[in-house]
Amino acid sequence: MKTDKIYNMKKLISILIILSFVSCNRKPNCSYKIPIDKNDGLKVSTLEEHNLDKKAFEKINSDICKGIYGNIHSVLLIHNNDLIIEQYYNGWKSNELHFLASTTKSFSAIMTGIAIEQGKIKDVNQKMLDFFPEYSSLAEDTLKSQITIRDLLTNTSGFKWNEQSLPVNDPNNMGVQMDKMDNWLKASLELPMDTIPGNKYVYSGPNNIIIGEIIKKSTGQNIAEYTEDNLFKPLGIKDYNWFSKNGIYDVGGGLKLKSRDIAKYGLLYLNKGKWLDKQIVSSEWMEEIFNPFIEIRHPLYSCFQWQMVKTEYGFNSWFIPGDGGQIINIVPDLDLVIVINADNRKIPKEKRTPLEYLIKDLTKIHPKLKNE
């Protein structure tokens, strides 16, 4: 009896070892998966039906699975209003909320437009300090008193700011210093001036903190509430998380959404503010968002938080990037939306291929570019 128990125990242990070995060596399934129709407003289709280059995508898919581009979580592609690609990697699930990082900044532009259309804000030429009479003393700074909503949206506010990847203990790392502040609005408004507003591009999160508080002052709702009522609900977006501190929302990088909902948001831009049969934002405002305002470096331009690049193929491409590998890319000439979510924050750049190449390769599966 005792011998049988020992035998059975050894057999069980052997089976567990074999299963563990098989599990550890099982390669992830990186085959192309046709997106599922979830009745959420996104129509689905296939690579073949849209004449997209399946063989080229399978090579891209394989490279992603091999980690060529780092720790990719999801890749979604919409063509002609159909969701064609919806792939998840490295254990990521479709129902998980993903951090947008600086892709969040794009919401300051679209929500400003909605507030203008509702008559809550007059126009983008309104002065920043007009919304904050409690900080009227700041108007003594003649440069700061000139800052408009347009300057904030185009990252030409003139604030002295450095949002580069500096060490945490570096006193010039103003982003880290800002995070330590209890009142983000006060800290943003009180930033020293560097240049005349409207003349120099400087990528700056505080611009968006201020826009968020302008929307709150104008509408009576914080930006999360205002966005939920006027954008998320019409798009059918039910789940989100938006980080705040002491009642002030991080409009520079604090939003989390599901990848599929990010794709819906991108499709809204491609269709110039229209979702299904409803115009959520005017086409005029969406065109204003994409209108190049200032050249960052040739051929890259700053718009209202978005950036535009003139591609080698002769068409323009708009994108909004975020730390770690978040990208929404819109190519109107190809009726294309590409969404990438990743977490490459701890992977050195020299150990992965830049995501710009992934975007380029995904764009090239389009039938118009197959032979390029």
Side-chain angles (χ1 to χ4, degrees), residues 291-333:
N291 187 33
F293 180 79
I294 191 170
E295 188 174 46
I296 302 173
R297 62 182 183 277
H298 192 74
L300 184 64
Y301 297 81
S302 170
C303 310
F304 279 2
Q305 294 305 326
W306 289 75
Q307 296 176 18
M308 188 201 85
V309 62
K310 294 184 175 181
T311 72
E312 61 193 271
Y313 305 111
F315 55 76
N316 296 330
S317 177
W318 284 263
F319 65 98
I320 180 87
D323 188 30
Q326 324 317 313
I327 298 176
I328 305 175
N329 189 70
I330 313 292
V331 189
D333 284 356

Side-chain angles (χ1 to χ4, degrees), residues 351-369:
K351 292 188 176 181
R352 55 183 170 83
T353 301
L355 293 185
E356 295 93 311
Y357 291 93
L358 176 54
I359 287 288
K360 185 175 180 179
D361 286 343
L362 286 167
T363 304
K364 286 176 67 176
I365 72 171
H366 192 280
K368 289 184 178 179
L369 302 179

Side-chain angles (χ1 to χ4, degrees), residues 109 112-113 116 121-128 131 146-154 211 285 288 304:
T112 296
I116 290 173
I121 294 174
K122 183 180 177 181
D123 56 46
V124 293
N125 297 313
Q126 282 191 270
K127 297 290 195 296
M128 173 187 77
F131 296 90
Q146 297 176 39
I147 298 174
T148 65
I149 292 175
R150 185 189 302 275
D151 298 328
L152 296 169
L153 290 177
T154 55
I211 287 289
W285 180 255
E288 183 73 12
F304 279 2

